[in-house]
Amino acid sequence: MMALCVLTGDLVASSALAPKEVDAALTTIETAATEIANWQSPAIATHFARRGGDSWQISIDAPELGLRAALYIAACLNRNDTAAVTRIAIARGTGTLSETGDLNAAHGPVFVASGRLLTNLSGHALMAHADGGAMHAATRLADYIASGWTQTQARTVAAFLQPNAPNRAEVAKSFGVTRQAVNQSLWSAGYPTIEEALNALETEAGK
């Protein structure tokens, strides 16, 4: 077995979405998993699987990045101006992947924990962490902040959640806006506080 983070999710109220909207949302999540793989060098090993009509799962072999990855997925969905919203259950632990990386053939405690957590996720909660305690509390607070992001804020936050993010001047140029606009978007989205919390959690997890 190996150390993994597993994110298991499903689309909220997917019955109200057209099939093409469901497919577009799951493609966005799959693309996000591919982009997460490039957050570090050498590349992080990520695997994506669609499970059922509106469900999905991602494994990441950098367990400390689970909450950052979940927020990135939420931001990617929001920045695309899609009607889709996803729930995300995060778990860290050990698991075994098949030689092909097919998550539908994977097994181990981390997969069980993530799947069970999603089943028990209820109410307005879109994100939760199976570790419980401080990690779960941080996840719930981050979820609350992220649920209020506008499309512009989500697009800006997504650009900076990656650990190897470009500087603000470069992002502003790519968006065709001023650096001041980027700064305002980040502050109004609560990003500086989120980034500080993520850095602290990831440093602690790496000890």
Coordinates of all heavy atoms in Angstrom, one line a residue, residues 47-52 55-57 96-98 100-107 111:
H47 N -4.9 10.2 -10.4 CA -5.8 9.4 -11.2 C -7.2 9.8 -11.0 O -7.6 10.2 -9.9 CB -5.6 7.9 -10.8 CG -4.2 7.4 -11.0 ND1 -3.7 7.0 -12.2 CD2 -3.2 7.2 -10.1 CE1 -2.5 6.6 -12.1 NE2 -2.2 6.7 -10.8
F48 N -8.0 9.8 -12.1 CA -9.4 10.2 -12.1 C -10.3 9.1 -12.5 O -9.9 8.3 -13.5 CB -9.6 11.4 -13.0 CG -11.0 11.8 -13.2 CD1 -11.7 12.6 -12.3 CD2 -11.7 11.2 -14.3 CE1 -13.1 12.9 -12.5 CE2 -13.1 11.5 -14.5 CZ -13.7 12.4 -13.6
A49 N -11.4 8.9 -11.9 CA -12.4 7.9 -12.4 C -13.8 8.5 -12.3 O -14.1 9.2 -11.3 CB -12.3 6.6 -11.7
R50 N -14.6 8.3 -13.3 CA -16.0 8.6 -13.2 C -16.7 7.4 -12.6 O -16.5 6.3 -13.0 CB -16.5 9.0 -14.6 CG -18.0 9.4 -14.6 CD -18.4 10.0 -16.0 NE -19.8 10.4 -16.0 CZ -20.3 11.1 -17.0 NH1 -19.6 11.5 -18.0 NH2 -21.6 11.4 -16.9
R51 N -17.6 7.7 -11.7 CA -18.2 6.6 -11.0 C -19.7 6.8 -11.0 O -20.3 7.6 -10.3 CB -17.7 6.5 -9.5 CG -16.2 6.4 -9.5 CD -15.7 6.2 -8.1 NE -16.1 4.9 -7.6 CZ -15.5 4.3 -6.5 NH1 -14.5 5.0 -5.9 NH2 -15.8 3.1 -6.1
G52 N -20.4 6.1 -11.9 CA -21.9 6.3 -12.0 C -22.1 7.5 -12.8 O -21.3 8.1 -13.4
S55 N -21.0 10.9 -10.3 CA -20.0 10.7 -9.2 C -18.6 10.6 -9.8 O -18.4 10.2 -11.0 CB -20.3 9.5 -8.4 OG -21.6 9.6 -7.8
W56 N -17.6 10.9 -9.0 CA -16.2 10.8 -9.5 C -15.3 10.6 -8.3 O -15.7 10.7 -7.1 CB -15.8 12.2 -10.1 CG -16.0 13.4 -9.2 CD1 -17.2 14.1 -9.1 CD2 -15.1 13.9 -8.3 NE1 -17.0 15.1 -8.2 CE2 -15.7 15.0 -7.7 CE3 -13.8 13.6 -8.0 CZ2 -15.1 15.8 -6.7 CZ3 -13.1 14.4 -7.0 CH2 -13.8 15.5 -6.4
Q57 N -14.0 10.3 -8.6 CA -13.0 10.0 -7.6 C -11.6 10.4 -8.2 O -11.4 10.1 -9.3 CB -13.0 8.6 -7.1 CG -12.2 8.3 -5.9 CD -12.5 7.0 -5.3 OE1 -12.2 5.9 -5.9 NE2 -13.2 6.9 -4.1
T96 N -4.2 0.9 -2.3 CA -3.5 0.2 -3.4 C -4.1 0.5 -4.7 O -5.4 0.4 -4.8 CB -3.5 -1.4 -3.1 OG1 -2.9 -1.6 -1.9 CG2 -2.8 -2.1 -4.2
L97 N -3.3 0.9 -5.7 CA -3.8 1.1 -7.0 C -3.5 0.0 -7.9 O -2.5 -0.7 -7.7 CB -3.2 2.4 -7.6 CG -3.4 3.7 -6.9 CD1 -2.6 4.8 -7.4 CD2 -4.9 4.1 -7.0
S98 N -4.3 -0.2 -8.9 CA -4.0 -1.3 -9.9 C -2.8 -0.8 -10.8 O -2.5 0.4 -10.8 CB -5.2 -1.6 -10.8 OG -5.5 -0.4 -11.6
T100 N -2.8 -0.3 -13.8 CA -3.3 0.7 -14.8 C -3.7 2.0 -14.2 O -4.0 3.0 -14.9 CB -4.4 0.1 -15.6 OG1 -5.5 -0.2 -14.7 CG2 -4.0 -1.2 -16.3
G101 N -3.8 2.1 -12.9 CA -4.2 3.3 -12.2 C -5.8 3.4 -12.2 O -6.3 4.5 -11.9
D102 N -6.5 2.3 -12.6 CA -7.9 2.4 -12.6 C -8.5 2.4 -11.2 O -8.3 1.5 -10.4 CB -8.5 1.1 -13.3 CG -10.0 1.1 -13.4 OD1 -10.6 2.1 -13.0 OD2 -10.5 0.0 -13.8
L103 N -9.1 3.5 -10.8 CA -9.6 3.7 -9.4 C -10.7 2.8 -9.1 O -11.0 2.5 -7.9 CB -10.0 5.2 -9.2 CG -8.9 6.2 -9.2 CD1 -9.4 7.5 -8.8 CD2 -7.7 5.8 -8.3
N104 N -11.4 2.3 -10.1 CA -12.5 1.4 -9.9 C -12.0 0.0 -9.4 O -12.8 -0.8 -9.0 CB -13.4 1.3 -11.1 CG -14.2 2.5 -11.4 OD1 -14.8 3.1 -10.5 ND2 -14.1 3.0 -12.6
A105 N -10.7 -0.2 -9.6 CA -10.1 -1.4 -9.2 C -9.2 -1.2 -7.9 O -8.5 -2.1 -7.5 CB -9.2 -2.1 -10.3
A106 N -9.2 0.0 -7.4 CA -8.3 0.3 -6.3 C -9.0 -0.1 -5.0 O -10.2 -0.3 -4.9 CB -8.1 1.8 -6.2
H107 N -8.2 -0.2 -3.9 CA -8.8 -0.6 -2.6 C -7.9 -0.2 -1.5 O -6.8 0.3 -1.7 CB -9.0 -2.1 -2.6 CG -7.8 -2.9 -2.7 ND1 -6.9 -3.3 -1.7 CD2 -7.2 -3.4 -3.9 CE1 -5.9 -4.0 -2.2 NE2 -6.0 -4.1 -3.5
F111 N -9.6 4.7 0.5 CA -10.8 4.7 -0.4 C -12.1 4.5 0.4 O -13.1 5.1 0.1 CB -10.6 3.6 -1.5 CG -9.5 3.9 -2.4 CD1 -8.2 3.4 -2.2 CD2 -9.7 4.8 -3.5 CE1 -7.2 3.7 -3.1 CE2 -8.6 5.1 -4.4 CZ -7.4 4.5 -4.2

